[in-house]
Amino acid sequence: MRIAVDTLGGDAGPGAAVQGAAIAIQAWPGLEVDLFGPGEQLTAEVANLPRHLAAAGLRLSVYHAPGLIHPEQRPSDALRRGAASSMALMLAHVVAGHAVAGVSAGNTGALMALARRALGTVAQIPRPAICTAIPTHDEGRCYLLDLGANVDASAKRLVDFARMGEVMARHIDELDAPRVALLNVGGEATKGSETVREADALLKQLDSLNYVGFVEGDGIFAGSVDVVVCDGFVGNAVLKASEGLARMLITRVQSTFESHLGSRLVGRLARPALRRLKRELDPVRYNGASLLGLDGIVVKSHGSANATGFSYAVLRAAQEVSRDLPTRLAQELGSRHDSTQQE
Amino acid sequence: MRIAVDTLGGDAGPGAAVQGAAIAIQAWPGLEVDLFGPGEQLTAEVANLPRHLAAAGLRLSVYHAPGLIHPEQRPSDALRRGAASSMALMLAHVVAGHAVAGVSAGNTGALMALARRALGTVAQIPRPAICTAIPTHDEGRCYLLDLGANVDASAKRLVDFARMGEVMARHIDELDAPRVALLNVGGEATKGSETVREADALLKQLDSLNYVGFVEGDGIFAGSVDVVVCDGFVGNAVLKASEGLARMLITRVQSTFESHLGSRLVGRLARPALRRLKRELDPVRYNGASLLGLDGIVVKSHGSANATGFSYAVLRAAQEVSRDLPTRLAQELGSRHDSTQQE
């Protein structure tokens, strides 16, 4: 299995992407990664991989593609002027069949726009969505989508998102009948926006879906549902707020233990536990986000992911490849989409 | 200063409201509280106040009002059939001038509907909003509104919310020029929904407001802004998700220290720090939410608040009374609202 990686655009620089790819290679037998970015730098990064990752270097190839899609660049601008960027060339590599999936930590909007143009969408899905797995109270996970690809979403599009998330949870997490919910401001059918109530009515008609109704924001983490659907504005706000809160809480846990425990000894004993927590407490930084609905597999790594975070995104892509997610989406949504096909 | 308290509708029962009122009385010199709920039970709760709160009993009065607004009751139903409820009678007490503010942990939608009918709104504010203070990274606070009173909000209403939040931060927190931001999916003016971009343009025209532009969800906790404005659907989703995440993280911190620290001793030493954290880490449960824009002061305590949480809601109301918040809102929004008055 060969995955293409855009090494530019992440906060931690190409080095984190190269190391992340190497970590993924060591974790996934048979995986090879083609790296896109500034050739000389990438070659040096591969040559200087830490000792425990050095073996992975043999399964890394470097493609010189130094053009950067700027983090603030508008998608329309990326479409017009980004053809020579590492991101676009990485996607072209996937389209040409040289790799089976693409990963990037760069500009999300540009990635979605370029990927959509390069790969197209699965039949029946006019608008792809961004989807990530959120850790839940019971140490499970919940897929949340859309995370920002569609700031407004009609009821029909929310239904698409529900069905895509359900296919993801069923095939990737091997759940028999993933519980799917709509995010709303209250549990009752009389509450919420008109769009959400309309989507609720449509979802209730889909016998093939284990639709459980509305959840509020805390339902995402509760462990009682497997897929939560909302428009991209809400999903993005919830995800970013969760990131901000998690970061604040980590700092507070750390400073409470470091300064208020009355004993440096305890602080030292607590440090390993804190390190472990740090990773657990920052749920959103440690998962790749899937661009779901594309006719191909593209995973967005968090912009501020370190090498470990980046490796999760690559492994996420590998998982989706191994389950042939786009084909599943095409088959299942094509055959069951009839009642809600028209906008 | 006399505040009316609806003791019904909270998860922790009337006892928590009575004790919360007593805690607030001890913290705020001259405060008296009129309690609404089942008379006999309330009298018994007052008589059985813990020793350290017993003195506050002299400044608690009981009003028999056993009618409950059910937590799931629709606002329209509460308006039609809730006149004899503890919530409605508490509000009538405020309207009659017997108390200067009202507090309830009951059904938020019903409280807003009943309060709006009983008290009316400040001139120029067609739609009140729900607003709470969120703790920030730098140990400050950020007001977030709307939290669910308005699932859809036009650009003009978002401007109203911005101005109300600004008055709140300026008068209650004594900030000279509170930094006001709009919640959006990206920092750039080209991103986001049409409504948000329109509100952005309107806010830029308001010279009297220190409007700093867009923030993403993590901006709420970052400490870089004092007021964050969004529609009630987004605000509610963000608030509830933050609650859910905080609860999950608290559990994880606790279990990590209890089971992985290798030493019961450390666990015991860590327990006081954990207790302190628990309160800090659950930002949203420990603040009252203000019904902002009413011609009167009504504070919603969190439904699952314990006595301490309830006391914060009562003290929040006392603070707003002491700063005469509705008058400030009427004066400042009346005089500066001209350009955005019409819907």
Side-chain angles (χ1 to χ4, degrees):
Chain A
M1 184 189 306
R2 185 178 296 273
I3 289 178
V5 161
D6 167 23
T7 64
L8 293 179
D11 302 344
V18 174
Q19 282 198 31
I23 295 169
I25 283 170
Q26 290 206 324
W28 191 282
L31 179 63
E32 305 193 53
V33 172
D34 291 347
L35 302 164
F36 288 77
E40 267 183 51
Q41 190 185 350
L42 294 184
T43 305
E45 294 282 0
V46 172
N48 294 321
L49 277 171
R51 198 183 186 83
H52 69 283
L53 296 174
L58 300 170
R59 292 197 265 149
L60 287 167
S61 308
V62 169
Y63 288 75
H64 183 57
L68 169 71
I69 298 289
H70 195 273
E72 306 290 307
Q73 200 166 339
R74 295 168 63 166
S76 55
D77 193 60
L79 285 171
R80 261 198 312 276
R81 310 193 300 162
S85 64
S86 60
M87 190 185 276
L89 291 170
M90 174 276 283
L91 291 166
H93 200 65
V94 176
V95 173
H98 302 312
V100 287
V103 176
S104 172
N107 180 325
T108 310
L111 182 62
M112 180 57 100
L114 289 169
R116 203 175 151 173
R117 183 169 69 183
L119 295 162
T121 62
V122 161
Q124 318 290 357
I125 297 296
R127 296 173 70 177
I130 305 172
C131 175
T132 198
I134 307 275
T136 57
H137 220 284
D138 54 354
E139 317 226 340
R141 49 168 50 175
C142 173
Y143 287 103
L144 180 65
L145 74 166
D146 172 37
L147 300 175
N150 309 275
V151 290
D152 294 309
S154 66
K156 301 253 168 73
R157 294 296 78 76
L158 292 176
V159 172
D160 288 343
F161 301 165
R163 303 180 78 218
M164 292 198 291
E166 195 263 353
V167 169
M168 175 84 112
R170 192 147 38 81
H171 290 291
I172 302 284
D173 297 336
E174 298 180 331
L175 301 176
D176 280 341
R179 298 155 296 179
V180 178
L182 268 177
L183 189 61
N184 199 358
V185 296
E188 304 95 79
T190 55
K191 284 189 174 176
S193 68
E194 205 178 312
T195 307
V196 165
R197 278 181 281 130
E198 194 187 329
D200 174 64
L202 291 172
L203 285 166
K204 280 180 178 150
Q205 294 164 25
L206 282 180
D207 292 337
S208 55
L209 205 76
N210 183 13
Y211 174 61
V212 299
F214 295 133
V215 291
E216 295 189 274
D218 52 344
I220 299 165
F221 301 94
S224 52
V225 294
D226 305 300
V227 178
V228 170
V229 172
C230 56
D231 72 40
F233 194 103
V234 175
N236 191 274
V238 163
L239 187 76
K240 293 281 170 71
S242 299
E243 277 188 60
L245 177 61
R247 230 173 296 146
M248 179 176 87
L249 297 189
I250 289 164
T251 310
R252 291 210 179 175
V253 171
Q254 198 152 7
S255 71
T256 299
F257 277 93
E258 278 174 4
S259 68
H260 295 276
L261 219 53
S263 153
R264 278 174 187 262
L265 177 70
V266 176
R268 208 171 309 157
L269 287 170
R271 209 155 298 147
L274 274 174
R275 253 198 303 274
R276 192 174 159 261
L277 267 172
K278 239 183 177 169
R279 204 156 58 187
E280 285 192 354
L281 293 194
D282 203 352
V284 287
R285 198 172 303 189
Y286 283 87
N287 285 310
S290 307
L291 273 51
L292 209 51
L294 293 173
D295 191 12
I297 293 166
V298 178
V299 174
K300 167 73 171 73
S301 172
H302 195 282
S304 66
N306 58 12
T308 311
F310 201 95
S311 76
Y312 291 150
V314 177
L315 290 170
R316 175 93 218 164
Q319 247 185 327
E320 294 183 8
V321 170
S322 72
R323 304 300 166 97
D324 200 3
L325 196 63
T327 304
R328 307 281 188 184
L329 283 172
Q331 283 171 348
E332 303 205 16
L333 273 63
S335 63
R336 297 192 297 169
H337 199 71
D338 308 342
S339 65
T340 58
Q341 211 171 111
Q342 281 80 34
E343 179 70 12
Chain B
M1 185 191 302
R2 185 179 296 273
I3 289 177
V5 161
D6 168 23
T7 65
L8 292 179
D11 302 344
V18 173
Q19 280 198 32
I23 294 168
I25 284 170
Q26 289 204 325
W28 191 281
L31 179 64
E32 305 193 52
V33 172
D34 291 347
L35 302 164
F36 289 77
E40 265 183 53
Q41 189 184 350
L42 294 185
T43 305
E45 294 282 359
V46 173
N48 294 321
L49 277 172
R51 198 185 186 82
H52 68 285
L53 295 174
L58 299 171
R59 294 197 264 151
L60 287 167
S61 307
V62 169
Y63 288 76
H64 183 58
L68 169 71
I69 299 288
H70 195 271
E72 306 291 305
Q73 202 168 337
R74 294 168 63 165
S76 55
D77 194 61
L79 284 172
R80 262 198 312 275
R81 309 192 301 162
S85 64
S86 60
M87 190 184 277
L89 291 170
M90 173 277 284
L91 290 166
H93 201 63
V94 176
V95 173
H98 301 313
V100 288
V103 177
S104 173
N107 180 326
T108 310
L111 182 62
M112 180 57 100
L114 290 168
R116 203 174 151 173
R117 184 169 69 184
L119 295 162
T121 61
V122 162
Q124 318 289 357
I125 298 295
R127 297 173 69 178
I130 305 172
C131 176
T132 197
I134 308 276
T136 58
H137 220 284
D138 54 353
E139 316 228 339
R141 47 166 55 172
C142 173
Y143 287 103
L144 180 66
L145 74 167
D146 173 36
L147 300 175
N150 309 275
V151 289
D152 293 309
S154 67
K156 301 253 168 71
R157 295 296 77 75
L158 292 176
V159 173
D160 289 344
F161 301 166
R163 303 179 79 217
M164 292 198 290
E166 196 263 353
V167 168
M168 175 84 112
R170 193 148 36 83
H171 289 293
I172 302 286
D173 297 334
E174 298 180 332
L175 301 176
D176 279 340
R179 297 156 298 179
V180 178
L182 268 176
L183 190 61
N184 199 357
V185 295
E188 305 93 81
T190 55
K191 285 190 173 174
S193 69
E194 205 178 314
T195 307
V196 165
R197 279 181 281 130
E198 193 187 330
D200 174 63
L202 292 172
L203 285 166
K204 280 180 178 150
Q205 293 164 24
L206 283 180
D207 292 337
S208 56
L209 206 77
N210 182 13
Y211 173 62
V212 299
F214 294 134
V215 290
E216 295 189 275
D218 52 345
I220 299 165
F221 301 95
S224 52
V225 294
D226 305 300
V227 178
V228 170
V229 173
C230 57
D231 72 40
F233 194 101
V234 175
N236 191 274
V238 163
L239 188 76
K240 293 280 169 70
S242 299
E243 278 187 59
L245 176 61
R247 230 174 296 147
M248 180 177 85
L249 296 189
I250 290 164
T251 310
R252 291 210 179 175
V253 172
Q254 199 152 6
S255 70
T256 300
F257 277 93
E258 278 173 4
S259 67
H260 295 277
L261 220 52
S263 151
R264 277 175 188 262
L265 177 69
V266 176
R268 208 172 308 157
L269 286 171
R271 210 156 294 146
L274 274 173
R275 255 200 302 275
R276 191 174 159 260
L277 268 171
K278 238 184 177 167
R279 202 155 60 185
E280 285 192 354
L281 295 194
D282 204 351
V284 287
R285 198 172 304 189
Y286 283 88
N287 285 310
S290 306
L291 274 49
L292 210 51
L294 294 173
D295 192 13
I297 293 166
V298 178
V299 173
K300 167 74 170 69
S301 174
H302 195 283
S304 65
N306 58 12
T308 310
F310 201 95
S311 76
Y312 290 150
V314 177
L315 290 170
R316 175 92 218 166
Q319 246 185 327
E320 294 184 8
V321 170
S322 73
R323 303 302 165 96
D324 200 2
L325 196 63
T327 305
R328 306 281 188 185
L329 283 172
Q331 283 171 347
E332 304 205 15
L333 273 63
S335 64
R336 299 189 297 166
H337 200 70
D338 308 341
S339 66
T340 58
Q341 214 170 109
Q342 281 83 32
E343 179 70 16

